Amino acid sequence: EHTTTAILSLIEKYGWADYVDLVEGGHCVLLFSEREAREAKEDWKKAIEAGITTKDQVQWLTTEETKQEYGAFYPMYRTGGHNLWPLKLVTRMFELARDGGSGNKQETETVEANSKDAIPLPASSNLVGGMRKLFSSFLPSQQSNPTNQNTKTKTDPNNQRPDALDNYQLILHTHTAVHSVHPNEEDSSSFQWSVHTPRGNVNAKYIVYATNAYTSHLLPHLSGPDGIVPVRGQAIAIRAKVGYTDEGWKGEGDHKGLSRSGWSGNEGFEYWFPRPHPKSVHQHQPDHQKLDGDEDPNDGLKRPLIILGGARETLKDGGYGMYETDDSVLDPGASRGLRVFLGHVFPGKFPSMDGRDERQSTEDGVEVEWSGIMGFTKSGDPFVGRVKDANGEEIKGQYIAAGYTGHGMPRAYGCAEALASLIWRDIFHPEDSWSPPEWLPRHYLTGIF
């Protein structure tokens, strides 16, 4: 809930909604079996008892109600929810931190970092303003001097860095894989860690492992079932056979249009949501053939793309994609499972590939297919906090936020926010204790605070 509120607030404040394709369509969960439906109801009742949700925040639909409204033959429940384009959101957040969020083009200077690929950066005053805008929601106000960014003040024994952001710079190095992290043998007093990359080494005082599925490559003791297990997921973008009802699509039964809802089903193995398309695109660009002599009321309406992920349960080896780290591979079993799924669940609304060779068909509606590597933990919860070694001892100057078990969207932002406040405290006020935010589940933390 905190992550959703914080992200929506950020989007609204800076007017990013159109750019990030924000859609408030709710979230629907299809219940494929009696056991799944029973357990969902039990979880809902327990959540109400615990004060996590209220009765009016979840609406339950019978199989018949689901069929009438959505065209699927399963019971379901629906809640509030949004979807957006994550990379676009992260891009805007980066630009805010880099440019100060003024919305105006600034003269930039290139910061050399022993790399021809260093990105242009604005003057430091703009950068500081941007960092403050991004951090102001969770960093203690007494740790900076927001009223005068360029004025140095005398050192206060209770505040050793009154304007700590003045000397910060933000540099993003893409295509720079980290191969290993070692103690810095040359200058351990100033920079205790050496980060090794193909483009050279970077010496650092503090390191954050936001490496999710690949964390065990750098921290070998986090490999295996007690650490973070890489799991390959697969997704497609498939074109629907019907349009959006809120854009004027006319149809009944199997030909009824789509809503803007995001979805999941089959115990969460499959998850999907429709992509928005601009008004200028769906008007005057019919993407279907109209029969001679027939008047099609949907002429000129674009059929949306649906982003569908999952089908790990269909893999022939029964391994659910676990311990797979190569995201250049597409599993044939998952490819078939994804192509069949929506046509089976929503008859008539998507291409039905039953009985055909889906990988060879040109009528499967799939326009893009890809895979990616997720980071799973045994508990299903991420690791957030200071890094511990194999003996359970904290490693000075190293932190982690990783292991989201396929649920990074509702978790990563809040985990990063909490971790940033911990790091800030450790750097500038190490003598003080740190209290996690009330909204952060305590079982996410790597240590006791």
Side-chain angles (χ1 to χ4, degrees):
E1 183 177 350
H2 169 80
T3 295
T4 300
T5 302
I7 290 178
L8 291 176
S9 177
L10 194 65
I11 291 172
E12 181 180 5
K13 181 176 181 179
Y14 293 103
W16 295 343
D18 288 342
Y19 178 80
V20 302
D21 294 342
L22 179 67
V23 174
E24 183 180 4
H27 185 75
C28 299
V29 179
L30 292 175
L31 305 168
F32 279 27
S33 68
E34 292 183 4
R35 178 184 60 80
E36 188 179 2
R38 183 178 63 255
E39 291 178 351
K41 277 283 182 74
E42 292 173 354
D43 289 345
W44 173 61
K45 293 176 181 178
K46 291 178 181 177
I48 293 175
E49 293 174 0
I52 297 174
T53 188
T54 60
K55 287 186 176 181
D56 60 352
Q57 289 179 311
V58 179
Q59 183 180 5
W60 298 85
L61 278 70
T62 65
T63 299
E64 184 60 30
E65 289 171 332
T66 304
K67 176 184 175 183
Q68 291 297 322
E69 187 163 350
Y70 297 106
F73 294 78
Y74 304 95
M76 59 165 280
Y77 66 87
R78 59 189 176 197
T79 64
H82 303 73
N83 62 71
L84 50 73
W85 191 323
L87 180 57
K88 288 186 175 183
L89 174 63
V90 173
T91 299
R92 280 291 184 256
M93 290 175 62
F94 173 78
E95 291 171 346
L96 174 65
R98 183 194 65 187
D99 300 335
S102 63
N104 299 321
K105 292 184 178 179
Q106 304 286 344
E107 293 184 5
T108 61
E109 59 185 43
T110 299
V111 178
E112 296 297 334
N114 299 321
S115 167
K116 63 180 181 180
D117 298 321
I119 63 171
L121 291 176
S124 60
S125 61
N126 294 328
L127 176 62
V128 171
M131 297 294 277
R132 281 209 178 89
K133 284 183 172 68
L134 208 54
F135 289 166
S136 61
S137 63
F138 56 90
L139 294 182
S141 59
Q142 69 271 20
Q143 293 177 357
S144 63
N145 178 11
T147 60
N148 190 343
Q149 297 177 5
N150 299 314
T151 301
K152 299 294 183 181
T153 62
K154 293 181 179 180
T155 300
D156 185 323
N158 296 319
N159 186 358
Q160 297 182 6
R161 293 295 298 275
D163 212 355
L165 284 174
D166 277 351
N167 296 319
Y168 273 32
Q169 293 179 330
L170 180 63
I171 304 174
L172 174 65
H173 293 282
T174 59
H175 305 286
T176 309
V178 174
H179 288 172
S180 61
V181 177
H182 299 286
N184 181 12
E185 298 178 354
E186 296 180 359
D187 186 14
S188 59
S189 60
S190 299
F191 300 97
Q192 56 189 333
W193 302 109
S194 181
V195 180
H196 294 208
T197 83
R199 294 169 54 199
N201 300 338
V202 178
N203 295 331
K205 291 183 179 179
Y206 306 94
I207 295 172
V208 177
Y209 294 91
T211 41
N212 212 34
Y214 301 101
T215 301
S216 62
H217 178 76
L218 301 176
L219 298 172
H221 65 281
L222 289 183
S223 62
D226 291 327
I228 300 177
V229 176
V231 178
R232 185 167 60 216
Q234 204 155 307
I236 60 174
I238 183 171
R239 184 72 62 181
K241 294 174 67 177
V242 298
Y244 288 124
T245 55
D246 64 7
E247 289 182 353
W249 182 269
K250 307 296 183 183
E252 297 296 333
D254 293 349
H255 204 56
K256 187 176 181 180
L258 301 177
S259 72
R260 302 281 179 165
S261 296
W263 294 79
S264 61
N266 193 23
E267 299 185 355
F269 275 112
E270 278 71 47
Y271 37 91
W272 63 100
F273 66 93
R275 293 277 302 124
H277 45 251
K279 300 286 185 182
S280 59
V281 172
H282 74 76
Q283 295 292 341
H284 312 301
Q285 292 191 26
D287 62 348
H288 64 290
Q289 292 292 328
K290 182 172 65 173
L291 299 177
D292 292 340
D294 290 341
E295 183 176 345
D296 188 345
N298 298 313
D299 188 32
L301 295 179
K302 191 79 173 177
R303 277 71 166 170
L305 275 175
I306 310 300
I307 306 300
L308 167 67
R312 291 189 299 115
E313 78 281 9
T314 67
L315 304 185
K316 291 183 178 180
D317 62 5
Y320 295 94
M322 297 182 67
Y323 295 99
E324 298 286 353
T325 59
D326 188 350
D327 63 1
S328 68
V329 174
L330 295 177
D331 185 274
S335 293
R336 181 186 186 282
L338 291 170
R339 283 164 168 77
V340 169
F341 183 79
L342 289 178
H344 175 75
V345 175
F346 299 99
K349 301 182 189 298
F350 295 90
S352 176
M353 305 311 299
D354 290 336
R356 283 186 273 175
D357 185 351
E358 296 82 13
R359 294 301 300 271
Q360 300 299 319
S361 175
T362 60
E363 302 175 357
D364 59 12
V366 175
E367 299 188 9
V368 187
E369 184 171 13
W370 67 97
S371 66
I373 311 302
M374 302 174 284
F376 278 46
T377 65
K378 183 165 61 177
S379 66
D381 300 315
F383 300 152
V384 181
R386 302 183 183 108
V387 173
K388 293 184 176 181
D389 62 20
N391 297 318
E393 299 295 327
E394 290 184 354
I395 303 177
K396 185 179 179 181
Q398 295 197 12
Y399 303 83
I400 187 171
Y404 298 109
T405 314
H407 295 281
M409 281 297 296
R411 292 174 168 178
Y413 183 98
C415 290
E417 181 179 339
L419 188 64
S421 69
L422 168 61
I423 296 171
W424 182 279
R425 182 74 66 178
D426 284 354
I427 293 175
F428 301 117
H429 289 274
E431 71 283 358
D432 294 340
S433 61
W434 178 75
S435 297
E438 291 184 1
W439 43 260
L440 184 74
R442 296 305 187 260
H443 51 277
Y444 287 11
L445 296 171
T446 59
I448 299 176
F449 296 91

